[in-house]
Amino acid sequence: MATSTGKERVGDVPSGLWRHRDFRNLWLGQTSSMFAAHMVAVIFPLLASVSLNASLFEMGLLSAAGYVPYIGVSLFAGVWLDRKPKRAIIVLCDIARALLLLAIPTAWWLDLLSVPTLLVVALLVGCFSVVADVGSASILPALVERDDLIEGNSKLELSASSASIAGSALGGGIFQLLAGPVSMLINTVLFALSAFFTALIRGERKGAEGSDGTQGAQGAEGSEEGAEAGQSIWRDMADGVAFVTGHVTVRTLVLTTLIINFFMAIAEPVALVFVTRTLDIPPYTVGLILAASGAGALVGAVIAAPMSRLLPLGRLLVLTATLTGVASLLTPLATLVPAPAAVALMVAMYVLDAAMIVVYNINVRSYRSAITPDEMQGRMNATNRMAGMGVMPIGAVLGGLLGTAVGTLPALVLASLGTLIAPLVLACSHVRTVKRVPVPQPEAEPTA
């Protein structure tokens, strides 16, 4: 027997989200799109560099095209997703990405493929990816119960980690086996599959429940009515930002995520130079070290739910954020040990760092979703993505300048210490006292 949300039960015991029809379709769709996205992230720069002989400046523009949509599109996407059914928007974005990628082999066959063409396609694909990304994060609370959010996010994060490893490897291999532009046909098929599975979702809730389980001030249908009544999109965007900045818990969680992303972005460009030049580790070994990050992400996706059951939520967030900063300190420590031990330290750093980041992200995402009313899910996630991703290009540029000014080793130490500000903020806030992801309580029935 299935409940109204599509979750089957055996007696009175839930059988898990794998037997939840709508979640299963969401998972299949998201897994397909994640693999396509990671393959595209590898094939795009290879196309530019190998097939089109792009200059360094053009390669830089192509890289920046992945971040720009998060800054320019996120807030608009949040308003759109809160006004309309999220499932239909995700399907539309998947179809748009499939058609846009189909334009690349078409332009190649017509001898029209160029770097500007690739940049335009990359920017447009990035815009639709931002909307789909925010939509997939916002639709989950409308499909499953609040107490299933950690399990659902863990399963989706497991797919993301697998796609990060396998999708990136497949992207390079397929590009080498096929003519570069033709390899985009596979990604077109994957995005089409994502649209197909997402379209099968039937149980998206249209009502809105507040964080305490009561009816929200304005449900999904109410939002659309507001739009039809002339509600300004700018007002809706401002309301979303105001909710994030005005809700003390959501504000704290967004701030700590921003801090972690910012200092990790500072370390990223410096770390590669440090590993290849200061430690003199060969490129092949560097590839193995970076692959450890994907393995750590898989570990994090597996242990996230058990850890959330063993530790109170607030303490778990402080612990994982602290271990992320401590792990990053292993990189500068590698200068004090022989080469084989240095490689082992780097592998340990990437595994521990990625695992703790994934556990942190799953629990933070679940907590944010649980305390956000349904009619604010899109705008909350959009504001969070814009803040978290928007600081990364700034951090990357600052990291390059800092490494040039003080050297790679001091820059890495400063970035690691900066990351530790996040758990300090959490420990000084009320979040540290939270026991678990809140679940709405049913209203008491009136007595006779």
Side-chain angles (χ1 to χ4, degrees), residues 72-135:
V73 177
S74 292
L75 293 181
F76 291 98
V79 174
W80 192 24
L81 286 158
D82 281 338
R83 287 183 172 187
K84 303 292 182 180
K86 299 172 181 62
R87 176 185 63 89
I89 295 175
I90 298 172
V91 170
L92 175 63
C93 291
D94 285 335
I95 294 173
R97 288 185 287 182
L99 293 176
L100 284 166
L101 294 182
L102 190 60
I104 291 179
T106 302
W108 177 66
W109 286 324
L110 297 175
D111 200 24
L112 296 175
L113 186 60
S114 62
V115 173
T117 302
L118 192 63
L119 282 171
V120 171
V121 172
L123 187 61
L124 291 175
V125 168
C127 290
F128 285 107
S129 293
V130 169
V131 179
D133 187 25
V134 175

Side-chain angles (χ1 to χ4, degrees), residues 28-223:
L28 287 169
Q30 287 301 299
T31 301
S32 296
S33 66
M34 287 172 188
F35 269 88
H38 282 286
M39 290 171 66
V40 167
V42 172
I43 294 174
F44 263 26
L46 286 175
L47 269 176
S49 178
V50 177
S51 302
L52 300 176
N53 296 316
S55 66
L56 287 174
F57 176 70
E58 289 171 330
M59 293 294 290
L61 290 178
L62 186 62
S63 177
Y67 289 112
V68 170
Y70 279 97
I71 301 172
V73 177
S74 292
L75 293 181
F76 291 98
V79 174
W80 192 24
L81 286 158
D82 281 338
R83 287 183 172 187
K84 303 292 182 180
K86 299 172 181 62
R87 176 185 63 89
I89 295 175
I90 298 172
V91 170
L92 175 63
C93 291
D94 285 335
I95 294 173
R97 288 185 287 182
L99 293 176
L100 284 166
L101 294 182
L102 190 60
I104 291 179
T106 302
W108 177 66
W109 286 324
L110 297 175
D111 200 24
L112 296 175
L113 186 60
S114 62
V115 173
T117 302
L118 192 63
L119 282 171
V120 171
V121 172
L123 187 61
L124 291 175
V125 168
C127 290
F128 285 107
S129 293
V130 169
V131 179
D133 187 25
V134 175
S136 64
S138 305
I139 196 175
L140 182 62
L143 300 180
V144 304
E145 303 301 329
R146 290 295 196 259
D147 55 350
D148 288 326
L149 283 173
I150 289 180
E151 181 189 352
N153 279 315
S154 296
K155 285 176 167 55
L156 291 172
E157 192 65 44
L158 187 62
S159 292
S161 304
S162 302
S164 175
I165 300 172
S168 299
L170 285 172
I174 290 171
F175 181 88
Q176 188 168 347
L177 288 173
L178 303 175
V182 178
S183 61
M184 283 298 179
L185 292 174
I186 294 177
N187 301 301
T188 294
V189 173
L190 286 173
F191 278 126
L193 281 173
S194 177
F196 171 75
F197 285 117
T198 306
L200 294 178
I201 295 173
R202 290 292 180 266
E204 180 181 353
R205 292 191 293 271
K206 292 185 173 65
E209 289 182 350
S211 59
D212 58 353
T214 58
Q215 190 70 15
Q218 189 176 35
E221 293 176 344
S223 296

